Amino acid sequence: MNVNRNIIDSLRYPLKDWVKLILLGIILIIPVVNFIGLGYYLRIIKSTLAGSDELPDFEGVGELFTDGIKFLAVCMIYAILPLLFYALSSAFPGSATLPIMATSFALIISIFAYMGMANMAFHGSEIGAGLRYGEILDRIAAIGWGSYILWWIVLTLIITVAGFIIGVVGGILLFFVLGLPVVLLGYGYLMIFHARSVALTFAS
């Protein structure tokens, strides 16, 4: 897998259709409706795995909404252990170990969760496919653990840093009524970028 090519392609991909980028950003900030945005994440993976280099349409809103619920369900299953440690750290605020353990588990789990989501999309949004750890490990092994971990580190750094910048800049510009467009475009862009990169990695 060529990590550099993967990231460059994924960074350019969201800019191929500004209308869909803006629409996704709007969808993501509306409660309940944002399930459609989560479903669109899976649709991007499906579209990429099918060989398309264009952003997919938003047609079939009911399917997108249902897929979004499935996506969230799998995310919550992956998040159970980190959330448990975060809850314990709140119950025992004097412990410095629990928050570190929670963050460590979240990072480690994300290594497998990314391919789990892609496997779910590959199998037609089947929830169980997102949790088939044998298939997920086989896929990572086929990609190559070294290349995969390198990609995961780069992707995680980009999402973390960009997400922080968007949040700070958007928060500051809210006082000038410019923060909302920054947040809409920023987080919509990151979701599309992330889905594309995950799909390209899964297919490599």
Side-chain angles (χ1 to χ4, degrees):
M1 178 180 69
N2 189 314
V3 175
N4 185 56
R5 188 180 304 160
N6 176 306
I7 296 299
I8 291 175
D9 179 288
S10 301
L11 288 171
R12 292 172 176 169
Y13 180 71
L15 304 177
K16 291 187 174 183
D17 195 321
W18 281 87
V19 173
K20 291 173 183 173
L21 173 57
I22 294 170
L23 180 57
L24 177 62
I26 294 172
I27 288 172
L28 289 175
I29 66 168
I30 303 175
V32 182
V33 176
N34 51 19
F35 283 117
I36 295 172
L38 298 180
Y40 191 68
Y41 178 95
L42 288 179
R43 181 168 290 182
I44 291 171
I45 296 178
K46 293 176 184 178
S47 176
T48 298
L49 294 180
S52 175
D53 290 323
E54 303 299 325
L55 271 71
D57 293 326
F58 281 90
E59 61 185 16
V61 173
E63 178 186 338
L64 286 173
F65 188 85
T66 302
D67 281 354
I69 294 174
K70 293 178 181 178
F71 178 88
L72 181 61
V74 174
C75 285
M76 291 304 296
I77 292 172
Y78 275 109
I80 287 174
L81 199 55
L83 288 175
L84 176 62
F85 278 101
Y86 280 124
L88 289 173
S89 66
S90 298
F92 303 97
S95 173
T97 305
L98 290 173
I100 294 174
M101 290 181 66
T103 302
S104 299
F105 273 117
L107 289 172
I108 293 171
I109 288 171
S110 72
I111 294 175
F112 307 100
Y114 290 166
M115 289 300 98
M117 296 305 172
N119 201 49
M120 178 180 173
F122 181 71
H123 289 281
S125 303
E126 179 190 338
I127 291 178
L131 303 168
R132 289 180 194 148
Y133 303 112
E135 292 181 14
I136 293 167
L137 289 171
D138 287 344
R139 176 67 64 169
I140 296 174
I143 295 168
W145 277 96
S147 296
Y148 183 79
I149 294 299
L150 175 60
W151 163 80
W152 173 81
I153 291 172
V154 173
L155 183 70
T156 301
L157 285 174
I158 291 174
I159 293 295
T160 302
V161 174
F164 176 77
I165 293 173
I166 291 168
V168 171
V169 174
I172 294 173
L173 292 180
L174 277 177
F175 294 103
F176 305 99
V177 200
L178 296 173
L180 188 57
V182 170
V183 172
L184 288 179
L185 291 173
Y187 288 122
Y189 176 92
L190 285 183
M191 174 173 275
I192 295 172
F193 158 75
H194 192 281
R196 175 71 171 182
S197 187
V198 166
L200 290 175
T201 299
F202 185 86
S204 65

